[in-house]
């Protein structure tokens, strides 16, 4: 599964670049938003569900969503940052309470 990371990042960069060039929702840094989301999905796909991946993957996806909403004027930074801190705390709590392995199982 780790063989798909580089192609996923290239696709995200290309799509972000194309969306920016075509002025789809001007003012949104599509490359940044899509890279965050792709990184989050990649972590979940590659690392499988571990205590680390259940925190980092969804958090990066939430960061991408928050960044998009802030750049389109639907969310202020005063709301985005505390919401991300709360989400990180919830993800940390889930990781500590869920019966997940510390590291991925060896294949």
């Amino acid at each position: 599964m780790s063989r798909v990371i580089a192609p996923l990042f290239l696709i995200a960069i290309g799509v972000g670049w194309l969306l920016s060039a075509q002025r789809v929702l001007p003012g949104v840094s599509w490359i940044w938003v899509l890279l965050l989301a792709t990184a989050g999905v990649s972590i979940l796909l590659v690392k499988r569900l571990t205590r680390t991946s259940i925190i980092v993957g969804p958090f990066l996806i939430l960061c991408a969503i928050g960044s998009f909403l802030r750049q389109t004027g639907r969310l202020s930074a005063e709301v985005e940052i505390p919401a991300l801190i709360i989400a990180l705390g919830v993800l940390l709590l889930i990781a500590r309470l869920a019966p997940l392995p510390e590291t991925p199982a060896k294949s």
Side-chain angles (χ1 to χ4, degrees), residues 51-88:
R51 291 191 191 277
T52 302
S53 69
I54 201 72
I55 297 167
V56 178
F59 186 70
L60 287 174
I61 294 168
L62 290 172
C63 287
I65 293 168
S67 179
F68 173 77
L69 292 174
R70 182 178 29 79
Q71 291 180 52
T72 57
R74 294 184 180 115
L75 186 68
S76 68
E78 291 81 19
V79 174
E80 178 191 15
I81 304 301
L84 287 173
I85 297 300
I86 292 167
L88 182 59

Side-chain angles (χ1 to χ4, degrees), residues 84-96:
L84 287 173
I85 297 300
I86 292 167
L88 182 59
V90 169
L91 290 169
L92 283 166
L93 184 62
I94 291 169
R96 294 211 174 138

